[in-house]
Amino acid sequence: MKRIEALEVLNGLTAELAVVVTCAATSRELASVENRDNHFYVLDSMGLVGSITTGLALAAKDSDLPKVIGLEGDGSLLMNPNVLPTGGFLGAEKLFLVLLDNQVYGSTAGLPTYSSRVDLGKLAEAAGWTVGRAEDTAQLRDEFDRLLTTTGPTLLHVSIEAGNAADIPKLLVDPVVLAHRFQSWLTARLEPHTAV
Ligand SMILES: [Mg+2]
């Protein structure tokens, strides 16, 4: 499964969910599939998707959102693996990371990451996360649906091929604009419902 194939599936499953997306090729490819208000592209902040998603998941605790989704890469998670014990320690009920693991730094010439020898799913399990795995689009769809109903920090470890999709334009929107757009989308969903 190529990254963009995984993103096409995930895009179809997350129209009504907050989605925090890791930098570089993953953000560009998702935006090329569909550029929506519920996408927060974390441009140039490698390693912070898990932290941001954790904070938003805690903030969404009493909302109608079933989970807050973070789309993370192996290289990026390895830059900030503290996300795993932090999520487990906090027991963040609505934290859901989808780890797109191609075992390389996809945006820097495909240099290998540690994930070929270090199982990031097992790291998450050791930290108290519920972990699912997917190696094709059917498994991705099924496991995403299943894990969306779990309570507590959750990781879907997705095996993807190395390599980036061709002819994907750069995402040159001002990050301030992207953040404001996402904030507006999310705020409306976190506000308490008022009786009509
Ligand atoms: Mg990678």
Side-chain angles (χ1 to χ4, degrees):
M1 175 169 42
K2 297 179 187 303
R3 183 196 292 111
I4 198 159
E5 293 171 333
L7 292 172
E8 286 166 353
V9 170
L10 290 164
N11 186 62
L13 296 169
T14 55
E16 300 300 325
L17 299 171
V19 182
V20 184
V21 192
T22 192
C23 56
T26 307
S27 275
R28 288 198 295 275
E29 290 184 13
L30 180 62
S32 79
V33 173
E34 191 171 0
N35 189 358
R36 289 194 305 228
D37 294 354
N38 63 319
H39 294 170
F40 181 31
Y41 307 106
V42 183
L43 304 180
D44 303 324
S45 298
M46 188 171 176
L48 289 183
V49 160
S51 302
I52 294 167
T53 308
T54 300
L56 294 179
L58 295 173
K61 185 170 181 289
D62 297 322
S63 75
D64 290 338
L65 292 171
K67 291 277 190 188
V68 177
I69 311 300
L71 302 184
E72 185 57 300
D74 50 310
S76 186
L77 182 58
L78 283 161
M79 181 172 275
N80 183 15
N82 179 53
V83 160
L84 298 176
T86 298
F89 178 81
L90 295 173
E93 291 178 17
K94 296 193 173 183
L95 175 57
F96 187 172
L97 289 185
V98 179
L99 177 65
L100 300 174
D101 187 352
N102 58 5
Q103 303 188 355
V104 298
Y105 294 97
S107 299
T108 50
L111 296 166
T113 69
Y114 298 153
S115 76
S116 60
R117 293 190 219 166
V118 176
D119 187 328
L120 295 171
K122 286 186 178 174
L123 275 183
E125 281 175 349
W129 292 50
T130 299
V131 175
R133 294 178 191 268
E135 298 194 348
D136 57 40
T137 54
Q139 289 175 354
L140 175 56
R141 199 172 281 110
D142 290 348
E143 282 295 275
F144 186 93
D145 283 345
R146 181 180 73 82
L147 293 172
L148 198 59
T149 63
T150 61
T151 298
T154 300
L155 181 115
L156 176 48
H157 192 176
V158 184
S159 298
I160 60 168
E161 298 172 23
N164 305 326
D167 301 323
I168 302 294
K170 285 192 173 1
L171 194 52
L172 295 175
V173 183
D174 188 328
V176 173
V177 173
L178 291 171
H180 185 263
R181 182 183 75 166
F182 175 74
Q183 187 177 28
S184 298
W185 183 93
L186 183 61
T187 299
R189 282 152 184 85
L190 297 185
E191 287 171 350
H193 294 293
T194 51
V196 177

